[in-house]
Amino acid sequence: MTTIVRRLLFFTALIVIWESIYRLNLIYEFRSATMFPSPSGTLEQLYLGFFESGILTSALLTSLSRISVGFVFAIIIGSCLGILLARSKWADETIGSLVIALQSIPSIVWLPIMLLIFGGGGNTAIIAIIILGGTWAMTSNMRMGIKNVQPILIRAARTMGYKKAELVWKVMIPASIPSALSGARLAWAFGWRALMAGELLGTGGLGRTLMDANDFFNFDLVIAIMVIISAIGLIVEYLIFNKVEKRVMTRWGLAN
């Protein structure tokens, strides 16, 4: 039995159990058993949201545009900052503690500050907290990746006459790719958390739609949005991160 078939059977079994619980009204501890979301109701909300009302299509496009912009900026800023902290003792001693302090602040706490700074409908503010949410994870992983480069590689590069810039570009960055990719994955996950937190208080997007669905007790739509976010996570992991990791590791001769 292939891995794909085994996974499909597993998810099918979970859906059948879930639908059976709903159909048999086994959740009596809820205030109303009819409020319990069902797989069939979730599928109906997905169909309505994407093909009838278009509410999920619009919300999904808004969220994807925000997370894409915020993620790219978080990767760029986090990578540069991580390399700076790893290579400069002065920067590490001066800025490193500030990065650690800022890293512990939840993304949603930044939202009022961002709204105060950027104002408007909150679009720029939401992207800003996505950047804040992802940057610190990328910075920490990049910093540790550069710091943990094997000394023998650095000594060998210096023996070959590598300058500082060549040492970073041709030795340290390739050697830190596994840590950088882990940081990118964390930045993506933290970025989504920041996005949903921002959209709960902002305008448009899946987070705002989720909040509205919750206010109107439309829990089928809540589950539908959770399914969409989970599906995006799977798609990004298998079609982007895994492929990029394989290609980059092969390019730099780090694949097994």
Side-chain angles (χ1 to χ4, degrees):
M1 183 182 297
T2 64
T3 303
I4 295 177
V5 173
R6 192 164 60 247
R7 288 173 179 170
L8 287 175
L9 288 175
F10 175 71
F11 281 108
T12 301
L14 288 180
I15 292 173
V16 169
I17 294 172
W18 178 10
E19 185 72 25
S20 300
I21 292 173
Y22 173 78
R23 296 289 177 186
L24 297 175
N25 287 333
L26 297 180
I27 310 298
Y28 289 114
E29 63 268 27
F30 277 71
R31 184 169 54 185
S32 170
T34 58
M35 293 170 60
F36 186 71
S38 65
S40 55
T42 301
L43 286 175
E44 182 182 3
Q45 291 296 331
L46 287 171
Y47 176 80
L48 293 174
F50 280 116
F51 301 107
E52 294 289 336
S53 67
I55 183 175
L56 287 178
T57 305
S58 174
L60 178 60
L61 291 176
T62 300
S63 293
L64 285 179
S65 64
R66 288 169 173 166
I67 188 71
S68 299
V69 174
F71 177 71
V72 169
F73 275 97
I75 294 299
I76 294 173
I77 297 171
S79 297
C80 295
L81 193 55
I83 293 172
L84 175 66
L85 295 180
R87 295 295 298 154
S88 170
K89 184 179 180 182
W90 177 88
D92 196 23
E93 292 177 348
T94 307
I95 308 174
S97 56
L98 177 63
V99 171
I100 294 172
L102 294 177
Q103 190 174 359
S104 61
I105 300 176
S107 300
I108 195 170
V109 176
W110 287 102
L111 189 58
I113 305 298
M114 295 299 127
L115 288 172
L116 183 65
I117 295 173
F118 296 105
N123 194 49
T124 308
I126 292 171
I127 292 175
I129 65 168
I130 294 171
I131 296 173
L132 284 172
T135 293
W136 311 131
M138 190 65 201
T139 300
S140 297
N141 278 269
M142 197 69 194
R143 174 177 172 271
M144 293 308 299
I146 295 288
K147 278 183 171 289
N148 289 332
V149 174
Q150 294 183 12
I152 190 172
L153 293 177
I154 299 175
R155 286 198 297 270
R158 285 174 174 161
T159 303
M160 295 172 67
Y162 280 26
K163 304 298 181 185
K164 286 186 177 180
E166 290 179 307
L167 189 64
V168 172
W169 176 247
K170 294 184 178 179
V171 178
M172 292 185 173
I173 290 180
S176 66
I177 285 175
S179 294
L181 288 170
S182 297
R185 285 186 168 94
L186 286 174
W188 178 258
F190 287 140
W192 265 100
R193 294 177 189 175
L195 170 72
M196 298 307 292
E199 289 181 344
L200 290 176
L201 302 178
T203 58
L206 291 173
R208 184 70 256 173
T209 307
L210 187 146
M211 177 63 80
D212 293 339
N214 186 66
D215 290 342
F216 288 99
F217 302 105
N218 188 353
F219 297 120
D220 288 335
L221 182 56
V222 172
I223 298 298
I225 293 172
M226 293 170 65
V227 169
I228 293 171
I229 296 173
S230 301
I232 293 172
L234 284 174
I235 291 170
V236 170
E237 175 62 30
Y238 286 110
L239 297 186
I240 298 179
F241 282 134
N242 280 356
K243 289 187 179 298
V244 169
E245 183 177 34
K246 186 176 180 180
R247 177 166 297 185
V248 171
M249 299 284 275
T250 302
R251 163 69 177 78
W252 291 101
L254 300 173
N256 293 324

